[in-house]
Amino acid sequence: MARRRLYRYLRAMTDAVSPIAAAAPLAPRTEGRQRKPDWIRVKAPTSVGFSETRKLMRSLNLATVCEEAACPNIGECWTKKHATVMILGDTCTRACAFCNVKTGMPRAVDPLEPEHVATAAAELGLEHIVITSVDRDDLPDGGAKQFVRVIEALRRNTPSTTIEILTPDFRNKPEAAVEAIVAARPDVYNHNLETVPRLYPTIRPGARYYASLRLLESVKRLDPTIFTKSGLMTGLGEQRLEVHQVMDDMRSADVDFLTMGQYLQPTPRHAKVEEFVTPQAFGAYAAIARAKGFLLVAASPLTRSSYHAGDDFAKMKAAREAKLAAGR
Ligand code: SF4
């Protein structure tokens, strides 16, 4: 990689944003960017594991949300060979104000992608894999069939790997789209609410808060054994009580696992950071969320949907077993 390109890449990574896109025009260019506090700083990715993971993804023609969303944790995750694969291409049909993934008209769905994902899982030796995708509003099923094909390929090739999917909202798509994914039985179904309902028109205008909530609720209703998970970004101008209300809404949809992390502005054209939430405030949010009954809560400035997902899956399973044993 040329020196200037490498610099731009590293800069983007330390400025990263939460995975998953939704929809909207980018915010107007903001004048000046807030300096990041010390607790946000991350190390540049230089390990052998990082290079090997990158090489494997390129050789299999796979996109990752770690790179496309310029995730700040890429150095740590890829050193451990934990990568989150982004299926259905690298181009999203929406353009959320917070998301760094490229927007435009996506290419045709790659029929080899499911086998390539399974090969990556085998080569990386993954016990737990997270699969996400861009929004594909151009496809009649929003890309649901490709999620099913990927799950089936993983079950065939690496049967001991547990599978977590992080899907779009499938807004305006037939209910059969989500039903087909649930029938393929991923271990964890994640869909991020991203922010409080008041901010949807500016941050996630292509999505609808209650439609996303209904998606989570319907997954649990269709198959209560699948763990459900959802995430929120902080620092976009949300109020504390609004966040508490979103937690209540998630619990009413029986969401098992809540993740919360700091929003970081990927470029000056994206929504600006209104606030850097302190680690102590994240701790307070986590305590409230636990009291509201989530099986598991991960809340810290650098928490992202797929950060430490394998370890968290094991914790979530243990928490469910303990709850069942206690008869709660
Ligand atoms: S936190 Fe998730 S998106 Fe970020 S580098 Fe790790 S696996 Fe990739």
Side-chain angles (χ1 to χ4, degrees), residues 61-65 68 85-92 101-102 106-110 113 132-136 146:
N61 197 27
L62 292 174
T64 67
V65 77
E68 303 301 327
V85 178
M86 194 169 77
I87 62 170
L88 293 159
D90 64 358
T91 307
C92 189
V101 173
K102 174 167 72 179
R107 286 196 293 260
V109 175
D110 177 1
E113 196 172 55
T132 189
S133 80
V134 289
D135 271 277
R136 290 296 301 257
Q146 190 75 340

Side-chain angles (χ1 to χ4, degrees), residues 136-159:
R136 290 296 301 257
D137 295 312
D138 57 314
L139 299 173
D141 70 345
K145 268 193 224 86
Q146 190 75 340
F147 270 98
V148 173
R149 289 186 202 109
V150 168
I151 293 169
E152 288 172 349
L154 285 163
R155 296 285 187 226
R156 262 194 317 274
N157 292 285
T158 56

